[in-house]
Amino acid sequence: MATKKYTVTLPEELAEAIRAEVGPGGFSRYVTQAIERRREQDRLGELVDWLETEYGPVTEEELAAAEAERKEIERAHAERVRAERVTEQQKAGQERHVA
C-alpha cells in the first residue's frame, strides 16, 4: 500500500508515551493500526445499526445468551491452555529423566 505523510496534532503526553512504548520507527505503524481498528469498529457499528433496523433491537435475553456463550468459550479456551501447559511440563519432565 502506498503511503503519504500527513500532519496530525496529538496531545504531547500521549504521543510521547506511545513513542516510548513502540520504539524508533514504530509510531507510524501504531497510529495506522489504531486508525484501522477504529474504522473496523465504525463499520461494525454500522452493521449493528442496519441489523437492528432490519430485525429489531437485540433483546435482554439474546444479550444474556450471547454473554453466556462467550463465557463458555473463554472457559473452554482457558481449560485447553491449562491442559497444553500440563502436557508440555510432563514432556519436559520426561526429557529430564531421559537425559
Side-chain angles (χ1 to χ4, degrees):
M1 177 186 312
T3 61
K4 182 176 178 181
K5 191 170 192 168
Y6 292 90
T7 300
V8 178
T9 303
L10 300 170
E12 183 176 2
E13 299 81 22
L14 175 62
E16 292 306 318
I18 291 168
R19 194 176 299 277
E21 289 175 20
V22 299
F27 189 80
S28 291
R29 181 174 50 254
Y30 185 95
V31 171
T32 298
Q33 290 171 344
I35 292 170
E36 289 171 343
R37 278 193 301 276
R38 176 58 191 257
R39 287 192 75 215
E40 290 171 357
Q41 291 173 346
D42 290 347
R43 295 306 161 297
L44 286 172
E46 291 169 8
L47 174 61
V48 168
D49 291 343
W50 179 82
L51 289 170
E52 287 187 339
T53 298
E54 288 290 312
Y55 303 104
V58 177
T59 66
E60 289 298 322
E61 293 80 19
E62 291 168 327
L63 286 172
E67 180 65 11
E69 184 176 352
R70 183 190 66 78
K71 286 181 178 179
E72 174 56 24
I73 290 168
E74 284 184 352
R75 186 204 59 75
H77 175 71
E79 186 177 301
R80 186 169 47 250
V81 168
R82 276 192 300 275
E84 289 172 359
R85 286 185 184 144
V86 167
T87 300
E88 289 172 6
Q89 290 171 350
Q90 289 171 343
K91 286 181 183 178
Q94 290 171 353
E95 290 172 2
R96 280 193 294 264
H97 290 295
V98 173

